[in-house]
């Protein structure tokens, strides 16, 4: 992990976890706990979907080609 990756990871954690949490706290303090919970859930959920879309979905996690699986070997 280089310095740029560390910065991107830090900013992502702040955007996905910290900002929705602070918004939840602020809205709950102002007397709107249901709105704070909705903002937190929406922010956290959208952040998780975004991180999956940008970093996890593009990964090629298939096995090596030419290797038979155990189900194929029995046929």
């Amino acid at each position: 992990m280089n310095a740029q990756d560390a910065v991107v990871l830090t900013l992502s954690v702040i955007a996905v976890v910290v900002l929705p949490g602070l918004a939840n706290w602020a809205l709950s303090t102002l007397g709107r706990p249901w709105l704070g919970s909705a903002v937190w859930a929406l922010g956290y959920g959208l952040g998780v979907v975004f991180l999956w879309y940008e970093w996890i979905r593009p990964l090629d996690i298939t096995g090596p080609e030419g290797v038979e699986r155990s189900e194929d070997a029995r046929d």
Side-chain angles (χ1 to χ4, degrees), residues 13-65:
V13 168
I14 289 171
V16 172
V17 178
V18 176
L19 290 179
L22 288 174
N24 182 16
W25 171 79
L27 290 168
S28 295
T29 302
L30 293 173
R32 305 275 188 201
W34 54 272
L35 184 59
S37 294
V39 167
W40 180 85
L42 188 63
Y44 189 76
L46 289 175
V48 168
V49 169
F50 175 76
L51 293 177
W52 168 80
Y53 184 80
E54 285 296 319
W55 282 328
I56 297 174
R57 186 185 61 89
L59 294 177
D60 182 19
I61 53 175
T62 59
E65 292 185 25

